[in-house]
Amino acid sequence: MPGIEKLPIEETLEDSPQTRSLLGVFEEDTAAISNYCTQLYQAMQRIYDAQNELSAATHLTSRLLKEYDKQRFPLGGDDEVMSSTLQQFAKVIDELSSCHAVLSTQLADAMMFPITQFKERDLKEILTLKEVFQIASDDHDTAINRYSRLSKRRDNDKVNTSAVEDVYTSRKKQHQTMMHYFCSLNTLQYKKKTALLEPLLGYMQAQISFFKLGSENLTQQWEEFLGTIGTSVQNVRREMEEEVGQMQQSIQEMERSCDPLYAPCDPDPAHSPVCRNLTRKQGYLYIRNKTGLVSSSWERQYFFTQGGNLMQQGRGEVAGGLVTDLDNCSVMAVDCDDRRFCFQVTSFDGKKVVTLQSESRKDCEEWISTINNISKRIYLSENAEELAARVNQSALEAVTPSPSFQQRHESMRPSRLGKLDEASSISSVGSEPSPALSVLSLDALVAPDTPIQFDIISPVSEENSGQSKTAAQSGRSNPFGESGDSTSEDSEDSILHQLFIVRFLGSMEVRAAESADVISETMRQILAARAIHNIFRMTESHLLVTCDCLKLIDPQTQVTRLRFPLSSVVQCSSHQDNKRLFGFVLQSASERGDSRAVCYIFESNNDGEKICDSIGLAKQIAFHSEMDRKAVEKRKEQDKAKEKQQEELSKQRQIEKDLEEQSRLIAASSRPANPPGSDGQFLVLSNSQSEDSDAGEEGKKRGESEA
């Protein structure tokens, strides 16, 4: 017998949409089995009724033949030969009527009883368990909705305890009912085989016992065939009993082990600590949907992460849909007026905000850590868990509830008065030239008559501006054909993702891009020019350091002001005395085809050396990533070559098999017909071959009767 499809009892507690979809397939199969068994039962009932009618008709014929002598015929009523002959026929037909009566009894016991028992007992039990499971599932949904609507402001211990007990009771009832329902559906896959084979086995055995007419060879063959079927039925029954025992044992073990999981929150946090190294997670969450200007509603959906996307799936849906893109997003816990354990996911451009609610604080922290790891592209690395363990410290800052993402960044900005004081300190520190620069020629470092830009006006070059336009026009693609608003560079692989608050001081064109003193000389000239012209206004931006580029982002609109390719950054260093000053030299191609170097000077809230170290780390990561990418491409080319060789070998083997098959067919067509098997040999024919053989036997008998 082939393998039996089974429902996974281990996944009944999770109750995922995939499990519900698989359950729907089994329920459709059960409905098909019920419909087919009803039709088969009607057909066998007709056979049984016909056999009873045949037995009654045979008995009536025998009785009429015995009463021939009592009939008064006008002509030939005293024919004794005819009377004695009919009496002999009456005896034979009477014995035949007795055989038909025995056959009817055997059909009732061996054919009608198994299929009636399967139809009236097993299938009705499945329908009853289905109704009980549906009621338990509805009760669980009602209890979990009541628990999720618990008020945060009014802390009533009695109501909270009652809600938790209702969730525990309903979830336990649903889990146990679902496990027994799955067990019955799995058992049905075995019972349907025995329910179809046992009636046929009883029917054929009753017919063989009835037709003992001397065809011993045929009878022996049928008995051997039916014996084989009977052995197979016994094996299926034995396997069913073993499987039922294992499933019952699994149900008992899972009932004992899953008892603490029925409660929505763990009373002992030390028993199940929060795992912050996850890069994939799934489970049920509540999502807040706006129904008006100030009103909103919460909907319970099944959420899961797929690559860099957050997906959601309804209970009756086949596939999930995209919620938001998690690449370079921000996530943090938030305070909601009507819900607990809420967190907020904000896209990189700030245009889409998703508010979700989990069942417990542990689940909330795990979701925040997982989304934070995905936003940093950790899942794309080979050792994702190790890398997540090193960088997940930043996820601890996001588990503290915060009103909004904007307020968090507002608190990080310095006051305007502090900016003016810092600018004055910058000009005083930078006005004194370095002793090392006094002996250098200024024309060798900075281009003469070079204007100084004190504000961000345009992109770095026309090439970069064209790239930004192209990137803005193209959206990020996902597996479901939807497009987001993020640019193409946001979708690139970037393990490093650090954000710094900086203020732009100025930029100017330089000559010696690789000189160690060019950044210091540029700082001196820009700070001196600011002091001479009394320029104290500075443009504040967010400097984003990734493995691909440096970005200056507007903190209000989250729009990228400038994008510096990391490959074009020649060097980066900070001021010797004031460590908050730093700059970097960007070398790019101009419109005329020659190279053009520009030095950009910034002031940061943090240490400028940390920013320079972050840029150096990004260049190293980008270099190693490029080497890994080339190695992977080389490996893929080798794999493609191996696959091509394997395809050629498989094609050659297939051609050889086809040639052998053709030669075998030619040789078989030239041979005479196969001789019949010996008396002791057992042959199992297919359905079509058995029908042909039955037709040949009937033709042979018809020819003998005509002769």
Side-chain angles (χ1 to χ4, degrees):
M1 287 289 178
I4 304 299
E5 296 291 336
K6 295 185 295 184
L7 282 167
I9 300 180
E10 299 81 7
E11 298 178 6
T12 53
L13 179 58
E14 185 180 2
D15 191 18
S16 63
Q18 288 79 7
T19 306
R20 286 295 184 106
S21 300
L22 185 59
L23 175 61
V25 175
F26 273 75
E27 289 177 348
E28 292 178 2
D29 184 72
T30 303
I33 292 172
S34 178
N35 186 21
Y36 179 78
C37 286
T38 301
Q39 298 178 4
L40 185 61
Y41 172 81
Q42 294 175 357
M44 290 185 176
Q45 185 68 37
R46 292 182 61 183
I47 294 175
Y48 177 69
D49 295 338
Q51 183 60 41
N52 290 334
E53 183 67 21
L54 180 60
S55 178
T58 308
H59 181 70
L60 178 61
T61 303
S62 175
R63 185 169 59 83
L64 290 175
L65 292 177
K66 290 180 180 180
E67 295 176 355
Y68 180 80
D69 293 337
K70 300 178 182 180
Q71 301 297 326
R72 300 302 179 196
F73 296 102
L75 298 175
D78 296 331
D79 192 355
E80 296 181 356
V81 176
M82 185 66 180
S83 177
S84 61
T85 304
L86 291 179
Q87 290 297 325
Q88 293 295 328
F89 274 110
K91 292 180 181 180
V92 175
I93 295 176
D94 193 14
E95 294 177 359
L96 187 61
S97 176
S98 301
C99 294
H100 279 292
V102 174
L103 178 59
S104 299
T105 304
Q106 292 178 351
L107 290 179
D109 296 337
M111 183 180 70
M112 297 305 301
F113 178 76
I115 194 169
T116 303
Q117 190 179 22
F118 175 75
K119 182 176 178 294
E120 298 295 330
R121 186 187 67 181
D122 298 329
L123 294 180
K124 285 187 177 180
E125 181 183 1
I126 294 293
L127 295 178
T128 304
L129 286 176
K130 181 179 180 181
E131 294 176 359
V132 174
F133 167 70
Q134 188 63 36
I135 294 172
S137 180
D138 295 339
D139 294 341
H140 174 257
D141 292 341
T142 304
I144 196 67
N145 287 331
R146 179 188 173 193
Y147 169 80
S148 300
R149 289 195 300 268
L150 290 178
S151 177
K152 184 179 180 181
R153 297 177 179 177
R154 295 178 297 178
D155 193 4
N156 191 341
D157 295 336
K158 184 176 180 181
V159 175
N160 294 344
T161 304
S162 177
V164 171
E165 290 178 356
D166 290 342
V167 172
Y168 172 84
T169 304
S170 61
R171 184 171 293 178
K172 182 176 182 180
K173 182 179 179 181
Q174 180 191 1
H175 185 209
Q176 294 177 354
T177 306
M178 196 172 185
M179 287 191 296
H180 289 287
Y181 185 34
F182 279 20
C183 178
S184 298
L185 289 177
N186 291 339
T187 308
L188 183 64
Q189 300 301 315
Y190 294 93
K191 288 184 178 180
K192 71 179 182 180
K193 296 180 180 295
T194 59
L196 297 178
L197 293 177
E198 283 184 348
L200 299 177
L201 180 63
Y203 173 77
M204 296 305 300
Q205 287 178 347
Q207 293 292 340
I208 288 178
S209 62
F210 176 74
F211 292 105
K212 291 290 185 178
L213 301 178
S215 181
E216 297 296 337
N217 294 332
L218 182 60
T219 304
Q220 184 179 2
Q221 292 180 2
W222 278 106
E223 288 178 352
E224 291 179 359
F225 175 72
L226 295 178
T228 304
I229 299 298
T231 304
S232 178
V233 170
Q234 294 298 326
N235 293 335
V236 173
R237 185 179 295 277
R238 192 181 305 108
E239 185 179 355
M240 179 193 69
E241 293 175 354
E242 294 177 358
E243 187 64 27
V244 168
Q246 293 178 1
M247 288 189 291
Q248 293 294 339
Q249 184 179 0
S250 300
I251 289 174
Q252 294 176 1
E253 294 177 356
M254 294 185 66
E255 285 179 351
R256 292 192 299 267
S257 61
C258 296
D259 188 80
L261 302 178
Y262 294 139
C265 55
D266 192 357
D268 187 9
H271 182 265
S272 57
V274 179
C275 182
R276 305 187 187 277
N277 303 333
L278 301 176
T279 56
R280 291 183 300 174
K281 189 170 177 59
Q282 66 278 344
Y284 281 99
L285 296 174
Y286 279 89
I287 182 172
R288 184 169 67 180
N289 300 321
K290 290 185 178 180
T291 57
L293 295 177
V294 294
S295 61
S296 61
S297 63
W298 295 85
E299 182 181 4
R300 190 167 185 257
Q301 296 284 338
Y302 187 82
F303 288 82
F304 60 95
T305 59
Q306 186 178 33
N309 299 322
L310 179 63
M311 316 293 291
Q312 71 174 357
Q313 184 177 359
R315 179 169 291 180
E317 298 177 357
V318 179
L322 177 67
V323 178
T324 184
D325 181 10
L326 299 180
D327 290 341
N328 299 330
C329 71
S330 61
V331 57
M332 63 181 63
V334 293
D335 283 329
C336 294
D337 296 335
D338 55 344
R339 297 283 175 138
R340 304 177 301 168
F341 313 133
C342 297
F343 60 96
Q344 181 175 291
V345 181
T346 306
S347 61
F348 177 72
D349 53 4
K351 294 182 179 180
K352 189 170 184 179
V353 179
V354 181
T355 304
L356 303 169
Q357 180 200 10
S358 58
E359 288 188 358
S360 61
R361 186 176 302 277
K362 171 181 174 293
D363 195 26
C364 179
E365 293 184 9
E366 287 186 351
W367 271 105
I368 291 175
S369 301
T370 302
I371 295 176
N372 188 57
N373 294 335
I374 294 175
S375 66
K376 296 179 181 180
R377 314 277 184 99
I378 295 178
Y379 64 94
L380 298 176
S381 60
E382 294 182 358
N383 299 325
E385 295 184 358
E386 297 180 2
L387 185 59
R390 293 198 301 266
V391 301
N392 65 357
Q393 188 65 27
S394 61
L396 298 176
E397 303 174 359
V399 300
T400 303
S402 177
S404 64
F405 178 76
Q406 289 79 5
Q407 293 182 9
R408 184 186 179 195
H409 283 280
E410 288 291 342
S411 62
M412 295 174 61
R413 296 177 182 171
S415 62
R416 185 175 181 181
L417 180 60
K419 295 180 183 179
L420 296 177
D421 296 339
E422 291 169 1
S424 61
S425 64
I426 291 170
S427 61
S428 62
V429 173
S431 59
E432 299 179 0
S434 175
L437 292 176
S438 60
V439 296
L440 295 176
S441 175
L442 299 181
D443 294 340
L445 297 177
V446 182
D449 301 331
T450 300
I452 300 176
Q453 283 189 356
F454 295 104
D455 199 357
I456 300 174
I457 299 176
S458 61
V460 180
S461 63
E462 295 297 333
E463 179 183 359
N464 295 331
S465 64
Q467 293 177 358
S468 62
K469 292 179 182 179
T470 306
Q473 294 175 359
S474 62
R476 184 184 183 276
S477 60
N478 55 69
F480 298 92
E482 302 171 358
S483 61
D485 298 331
S486 60
T487 57
S488 60
E489 52 263 21
D490 295 338
S491 63
E492 296 175 357
D493 186 9
S494 178
I495 299 177
L496 186 64
H497 188 89
Q498 294 184 353
L499 192 68
F500 304 95
I501 299 178
V502 298
R503 286 172 291 279
F504 180 71
L505 297 178
S507 64
M508 60 185 301
E509 187 175 352
V510 297
R511 284 186 174 180
E514 299 180 356
S515 176
D517 298 325
V518 63
I519 297 179
S520 301
E521 176 62 21
T522 305
M523 288 181 182
R524 188 187 68 80
Q525 292 196 20
I526 290 177
L527 294 176
R530 278 181 171 270
I532 292 172
H533 298 287
N534 295 324
I535 300 175
F536 299 102
R537 182 180 58 85
M538 293 177 288
T539 303
E540 181 177 329
S541 302
H542 289 174
L543 179 63
L544 179 64
V545 181
T546 65
C547 297
D548 177 67
C549 63
L550 307 179
K551 290 184 181 180
L552 285 179
I553 303 173
D554 191 304
Q556 298 292 337
T557 62
Q558 298 296 321
V559 176
T560 302
R561 291 174 173 171
L562 285 180
R563 181 181 182 276
F564 307 105
L566 194 62
S567 59
S568 301
V569 178
V570 179
Q571 62 169 323
C572 177
S573 64
S574 60
H575 198 275
Q576 296 180 357
D577 300 326
N578 189 357
K579 298 300 182 181
R580 296 167 63 179
L581 293 178
F582 76 96
F584 57 83
V585 180
L586 187 75
Q587 189 169 11
S588 60
S590 62
E591 298 179 356
R592 295 172 295 180
D594 53 350
S595 61
R596 177 173 175 266
V598 180
C599 183
Y600 292 84
I601 306 300
F602 297 88
E603 179 193 20
S604 66
N605 289 349
N606 303 323
D607 192 357
E609 291 184 354
K610 293 183 179 180
I611 301 178
C612 296
D613 295 340
S614 178
I615 295 174
L617 179 61
K619 293 179 71 69
Q620 293 180 3
I621 294 176
F623 174 75
H624 291 295
S625 299
E626 182 66 20
M627 297 296 293
D628 294 340
R629 185 184 63 81
K630 292 181 179 179
V632 170
E633 291 180 355
K634 185 176 180 181
R635 195 180 303 112
K636 288 182 178 179
E637 292 178 358
Q638 294 176 355
D639 294 341
K640 288 182 179 179
K642 291 181 179 179
E643 290 178 358
K644 189 174 181 180
Q645 292 178 359
Q646 292 292 336
E647 290 178 359
E648 292 179 357
L649 290 175
S650 61
K651 289 181 180 178
Q652 186 176 0
R653 292 173 181 173
Q654 186 64 31
I655 292 173
E656 293 177 356
K657 289 182 179 179
D658 294 341
L659 293 176
E660 291 178 358
E661 184 68 19
Q662 291 179 3
S663 61
R664 188 181 64 79
L665 292 175
I666 293 172
S669 61
S670 61
R671 295 174 184 172
N674 292 328
S678 60
D679 296 338
Q681 187 177 2
F682 168 68
L683 298 176
V684 179
L685 303 179
S686 62
N687 294 333
S688 60
Q689 292 174 346
S690 61
E691 292 176 359
D692 296 340
S693 62
D694 293 341
E697 292 292 337
E698 291 178 0
K700 186 184 296 183
K701 292 181 179 180
R702 190 181 300 111
E704 292 175 359
S705 62
E706 291 177 358

